[in-house]
Structure formats: C-alpha cells, structure tokens
Amino acid sequence: MSEATGTTLFEQLGGEAAVNAAVDIFYRHVLNDYRINRFFDKSDMDQQAAKQKAFLTMAFGGPNNYSGTDMRTAHAKFVKMGLNDSHFDAVMEHLEGTLQELNVPEALIKQVSAIAESTRSDVLGL
Amino acid sequence: MTEQKIQLGEQSILCKADESLLDALLREQVDISHSCHQGACQSCLLRSLDGAPPIEAQHGLKEGLKQQNYFLACLCYPQHAMRIAYRHHSDFMTHGTVSAKQALNAETLLLTLDLDEALDYYAGQFVNLRRDDGLSRSYSIANNRIHSKQLSFHIRRLAGGRFSAWAHEDLNLGDRIAVSEPQGLCYYLPDKPDSPLLLIGTGSGLAPLAGIISEALHQGHRGDIYLYHGSSDLNGLYWVEEMQALAEAHANFHYHPCISSGEPPEHVFAGRANDVAFSQLSDLKGWRVYLCGHPDMVNNTKRQAFLKGASLADIYADAFHVASGSLD
Ligand SMILES: Cc1cc2nc3c(=O)[nH]c(=O)nc-3n(C[C@H](O)[C@H](O)[C@H](O)COP(=O)(O)OP(=O)(O)OC[C@H]3O[C@@H](n4cnc5c(N)ncnc54)[C@H](O)[C@@H]3O)c2cc1C
Ligand code: HEM
Ligand code: FES
C-alpha cells in the first residue's frame, strides 16, 4: 500500500462504495457470457455475488486476505472443469468493461488490470 | 480439515470434517431445534462462547446477533475447537391462540392466531411456530402491519409433513402455540413509493406476497405492482377472487394467476409464474423484486430477474426450504 503518498488505488476508485457499484454490472456481464457462465452455478447467487465482491475488492487494491495459494485452491475445481487462458481473458474483458461503464479514468483501469493480471498463474493453477 | 471438538455445556462432541455442526449435534442426539438445513429459518441459532464463529455461519443474521457471536449450526463447519451455548429461550417471544381456521383450497389452510402481545414485524417476514413437543417450522406472515396482535398464515399440507399435517388436522380453535421473533429480510419498504414492484410466488408463497401488497397499498405505494401467483393446476391457486377484487380497486395493482399444466380458463395464464412474468416484462432496472415459495423457482427467478436488470440489492427472496422432499 502507498499510504505515504496519501491515497491508495482503492481510495481513488471510491472504496467499498465503488465495489458495490461495480459488482452488479460485473456479475451481470459474467453471467451473460456463454464462454464462462458455466463456471457459475445457479445455486446461491447471494453467496456468489459476495465472492465477486471479494474478487473486485482484491483487483481494486483493497483490503483482502487472499494469498496466491488461496487463489489456487479457490479455482482448482474450475481448472479441473477446463478453466484456461481464454476464460481468464474473458474475465479481464468484463473487468475493464465494467470500469469503463462506470467512467473510471483509463489510468486507474490499467492499474486494476495489472493487479488482476498478476493472479493469472495462481488462478489457472500454472 | 480434521475433526473438531465442540463443547456444549457439560457435553463434548466431535464434529467430523465436512460435517455441519447441526448434523454432528443431531448425530449425538442433542436436542436442537432445526428445520430447513439451509440457513433460512434461523431455528438452529447457537452462540459461540470463545470468539467469532466461521463467517459463513452468520449468513443472513442481523448485525446485533452477529456481533454477539450468534451463528447457524446448519451453516457451520468448524475450523477449530468451539465452545457453544444454546440461545436464550426467550427467542420464542410470545404465544398465540388459534382464533380461526379456514380452508383456502384443498391443500392450504388459513390459520389465524391471536397473540398475547403485539409483535413488531414487517409485512412479508416469517416467524417460527413451535408446538409443545418442540417441533418448529417457519411460516410467513400473510397480513399487513395493521394487525400487530393478530397473525395469519397460509399453511400448505405436505404429504407426510409432520407440522403441516398436524396443523391441518389436529390443531384446534383455542389451542396455544409458541411464536418466535419475526425474521427475514423479504419485506415491504416504503422508501421508494414510485418504483415498480414485481412479486412472484408459488403455492403458499402467496402468503408473504399478499402481506407485502396489502402493506404497500396501505402505505399508498404509487408505482405499479405486478403479482404472478403460480401453481401446477387450478386446485393449487387460491384467493383468486380476492386478488381480482383488489386489482379492480387499485389501478396500479396487476394480478396474474398462472398454471403450469392444463388449459387455463379466462383470466388465468398458461405457464410457470416466472416465465409468464418475464414474457411480459422486459426491463427490471429500478424495480424491486419479491420471490417466495419453491426453492428452485426462487433461485432460477432470482437469476432471471438479475439478468433482466434488477439490482441484486433490490431482489428479496424467501425460499420455502423443507427438511426433505419437495414442495410440489
Ligand atoms: C423462510 C420460510 C418461510 C416459509 N413459509 C411458509 C409458508 O408461508 N407456508 C407454508 O406452507 N410453508 C412455509 N415454509 C415451509 C415450512 O416451514 C415447512 O417446511 C413445511 O410446512 C413442511 O413442514 P412439515 O413439518 O409439514 O414437513 P416435514 O415433516 O418437515 O417434511 C417435509 C417433506 O419431507 C417429506 N418427508 C418427511 N419425512 C420423510 C421421510 N422420512 N422420508 C422421505 N420424505 C419425508 C414430507 O413428505 C414432506 O414433503 C417456509 C419455510 C421457510 C424456510
Ligand atoms: C482475474 C483473476 C481472478 C481473480 C483475482 C479471482 C478471484 C476470486 C476470488 C477472490 C474468489 C472467491 C474465493 C472464495 O472466497 O472462495 C473467486 C471465486 C470464483 N472465481 Fe475467480 N478470480 C479470477 C478469475 C476467475 C476466472 C477467469 C474464472 C472463470 C471464468 C473465475 C471463476 C470463479 C468462480 C466460479 C468462483 C466461485 C464462485 C462461487 O461459486 O461461489 N475466476 N475468484
Ligand atoms: S437455519 Fe439452520 S436449520 Fe434452518
């Protein structure tokens, strides 16, 4: 965290309120995308939305307790189902699309993308 | 994960890996009330005495309860040893006396209780009813808030269902029954009087929706209110005339009874309630959505409503989970 400089990325994006605003849009994109929606089962939407919030908080540089190992374990069963780079790219697309829809400045979007991108090998179990 | 030791008063129990605390307690014949096994009815509420319980086990609890380390045994998969206690029995706040029983249709009973004390509830919430031997089940409040000392319920009889069959057959006028604190987050909020409301219910899922509609109209809700009540056939519908009369009296209330099998008569729609609703409504942006009844209907419809533009925070649902079997 760059507390020394005053505002963190998370604060610049608008903190938890920004996550709340983004989660509906992002999750709707994901569920509408036939390439990846099979990974998100129909059972408990509220719990899934809570996990999407965890995802966004992390990508926004906010407080989270996930380690690389956690990311591996969380996605291991999806890797077994065939999760690969193309799915990861699709999620990156939706992440950027969501932020554009919310009129987040391009420079901040780049930073968010970089954080998400840095988890690629853990998420894909590489 | 390994076994965890659980201390409840004098008794200690081992909770196996991948076993819910509720299952472990029931396996050890601990007398703990339970009903849905899904975190919906909140009857398996317990308290952790040594710190915060697993966060998933507090899903849906009120803030105050969370802070006091209350949690639901059916959602709790202990990650370390725990010391736990029963909740206070004062959770069953009051008693009611059966003041009316009326058949709504062949399978649904309208049960009215006169309470000893007025309850503070929102239309659409549910209470747990508990009979003398401790068996307790959740039922939604079917009336609005004007009758705070009188609650009515729509109880659908399930074949072999212990509580519902008993309520239909053996519960008599004048009998007494314990009533819990009102619970649940599926209720009418008067803060957006102009937003359209969509209510979809199957079977006795009409109960909370009828309460919500009555409350909304009473509060002068101005937005359109769409009710879709579904059943497999005509025998499962009820309050058709009452709802039609309400629709005639209020220009903003629109009523759609639906049957999913057989040829519908005039004014009844063919198809599942959620499918009929989404064939008529295209954009739910800014709508409030209420879903009550069969768990599969509730889950699928939640997703449909969300994809049609309703915000997740504006979708309120009560899935009528039963301990086993299905509601159909
Ligand atoms: C939040 C919430 C609100 C609810 N609101 C309402 C409401 O307003 N109205 C309403 O009618 N219900 C409502 N319910 C459902 C209600 O709480 C009960 O679950 C329902 O009435 C069934 O209870 P029961 O004791 O009659 O059935 P149970 O005895 O619990 O049995 C449930 C089902 O399992 C089957 N079964 C029982 N024993 C066995 C066995 N040994 N083997 C195989 N199958 C078996 C039964 O045939 C039945 O179909 C609600 C539930 C929740 C969670
Ligand atoms: C871009 C990098 C990604 C990050 C940082 C990320 C992060 C997360 C996090 C934090 C969780 C919650 C874990 C938990 O608490 O259990 C999660 C769950 C999940 N992720 Fe990812 N994820 C990423 C990419 C993906 C991709 C590419 C897919 C598949 C298309 C995916 C599918 C899922 C699913 C299905 C869940 C579980 C949701 C549920 O069923 O409840 N994720 N992810
Ligand atoms: S909430 Fe645990 S049994 Fe219903």
Side-chain angles (χ1 to χ4, degrees):
Chain A
M1 293 276 149
S2 49
E3 252 121 44
T5 62
T7 38
T8 64
L9 172 62
F10 189 60
E11 284 161 354
Q12 288 178 55
L13 286 163
E16 204 195 330
V19 174
N20 288 337
V23 71
D24 261 24
I25 302 174
F26 174 72
Y27 189 28
R28 197 175 282 120
H29 277 301
V30 166
L31 289 186
N32 266 321
D33 185 341
Y34 67 93
R35 294 172 295 177
I36 52 176
N37 58 13
R38 68 184 174 97
F39 294 107
F40 297 82
D41 72 34
K42 294 191 171 139
S43 57
D44 192 333
M45 280 190 70
D46 297 311
Q47 216 169 330
Q48 255 180 29
K51 291 189 178 170
Q52 304 308 311
K53 254 184 94 166
F55 163 78
L56 291 171
T57 306
M58 189 175 173
F60 286 13
N64 74 84
N65 302 313
Y66 290 106
S67 65
T69 321
D70 294 336
M71 283 297 95
R72 271 173 198 270
T73 357
H75 296 90
K77 75 166 180 263
F78 309 120
V79 172
K80 279 207 196 103
M81 285 165 66
L83 184 70
N84 63 31
D85 279 309
S86 73
H87 306 117
F88 194 95
D89 293 342
V91 166
M92 292 297 293
E93 238 175 70
H94 294 309
L95 183 61
E96 286 160 17
T98 301
L99 295 172
Q100 276 155 5
E101 230 173 293
L102 290 169
N103 295 320
V104 171
E106 211 45 53
L108 294 184
I109 297 182
K110 279 218 173 69
Q111 293 184 52
V112 171
S113 298
I115 295 179
E117 186 58 51
S118 73
T119 65
R120 187 183 286 260
S121 60
D122 285 322
V123 167
L124 298 180
L126 303 176
Chain B
M1 261 182 271
T2 51
E3 297 189 325
Q4 299 299 346
K5 193 172 142 204
I6 308 297
Q7 193 72 35
L8 173 65
E10 298 292 285
Q11 200 173 0
S12 75
I13 293 150
L14 283 179
C15 186
K16 295 181 188 156
D18 296 327
E19 183 183 41
S20 76
L21 180 57
L22 178 63
D23 288 336
L25 294 169
L26 293 175
R27 177 167 52 70
E28 293 292 334
Q29 262 114 57
V30 173
D31 183 23
I32 168 172
S33 64
H34 62 101
S35 172
C36 72
H37 292 257
Q38 304 265 351
C41 70
Q42 307 197 349
S43 54
C44 63
L45 191 72
L46 292 173
R47 188 171 184 182
S48 162
L49 296 178
D50 43 13
I55 186 127
E56 314 81 61
Q58 294 189 309
H59 186 74
L61 294 184
K62 290 189 192 133
E63 267 325 302
L65 289 176
K66 284 187 187 171
Q67 276 158 20
Q68 296 171 61
N69 294 330
Y70 282 94
F71 67 97
L72 300 173
C74 66
L75 296 183
C76 180
Y77 293 83
Q79 303 295 312
H80 42 75
M82 294 178 79
R83 273 194 320 122
I84 57 174
Y86 290 114
R87 61 172 154 179
H88 305 296
H89 281 284
S90 63
D91 246 46
F92 274 87
M93 308 226 316
T94 186
H95 277 76
T97 307
V98 178
S99 59
K101 277 182 81 174
Q102 185 200 327
L104 292 169
N105 60 25
E107 59 197 27
T108 315
L109 161 74
L110 174 63
L111 175 73
T112 307
L113 299 180
D114 284 342
L115 302 181
D116 294 356
E117 299 157 53
L119 278 189
D120 192 13
Y121 61 88
Y122 295 101
Q125 284 192 300
F126 64 92
V127 295
N128 291 326
L129 299 180
R130 190 182 59 190
R131 63 180 198 199
D132 285 346
D133 67 356
L135 186 72
S136 89
R137 291 286 182 268
S138 313
Y139 294 99
S140 306
I141 301 169
N143 49 276
N144 63 21
R145 293 219 286 167
I146 305 160
H147 312 280
S148 61
K149 278 194 89 169
Q150 195 179 64
L151 298 185
S152 62
F153 306 95
H154 301 173
I155 301 185
R156 177 145 178 221
R157 182 213 299 260
L158 299 188
R162 279 162 294 167
F163 197 101
S164 59
W166 169 81
H168 275 252
E169 283 151 32
D170 300 323
L171 184 62
N172 296 311
L173 293 185
D175 284 356
R176 309 259 301 150
I177 192 163
V179 179
S180 79
E181 186 186 1
Q183 296 171 11
L185 300 172
C186 180
Y187 53 77
Y188 179 71
L189 291 164
D191 60 333
K192 288 187 185 168
D194 292 308
S195 67
L197 308 182
L198 168 62
L199 306 96
I200 304 178
T202 50
S204 52
L206 179 59
L209 301 183
I212 289 168
I213 291 165
S214 153
E215 182 73 26
L217 293 173
H218 176 71
Q219 301 246 4
H221 192 87
R222 292 186 295 264
D224 278 313
I225 304 174
Y226 290 86
L227 168 66
Y228 294 83
H229 182 213
S231 176
S232 53
D233 55 37
L234 283 176
N235 297 327
L237 293 178
Y238 58 91
W239 269 11
V240 178
E241 279 104 52
E242 285 83 345
M243 289 294 143
Q244 275 164 351
L246 202 60
E248 267 156 41
H250 298 271
N252 63 335
F253 174 56
H254 314 282
Y255 169 55
H256 304 83
C258 309
I259 56 171
S260 55
S261 65
E263 197 52 42
E266 220 192 325
H267 304 307
V268 175
F269 295 79
R272 290 178 183 274
N274 51 327
D275 294 332
V276 176
F278 294 121
S279 71
Q280 300 183 352
L281 308 169
S282 52
D283 184 2
L284 298 184
K285 198 163 192 256
W287 288 53
R288 282 230 165 108
V289 181
Y290 295 90
L291 310 170
C292 297
H294 196 292
D296 291 341
M297 182 286 284
V298 166
N299 282 332
N300 291 332
T301 309
K302 211 186 248 185
R303 188 174 170 114
Q304 280 176 306
F306 176 65
L307 292 177
K308 285 260 185 182
S311 146
L312 271 181
D314 282 330
I315 304 178
Y316 303 85
D318 266 341
F320 288 4
H321 287 288
V322 300
S324 53
S326 94
L327 273 169
D328 262 330

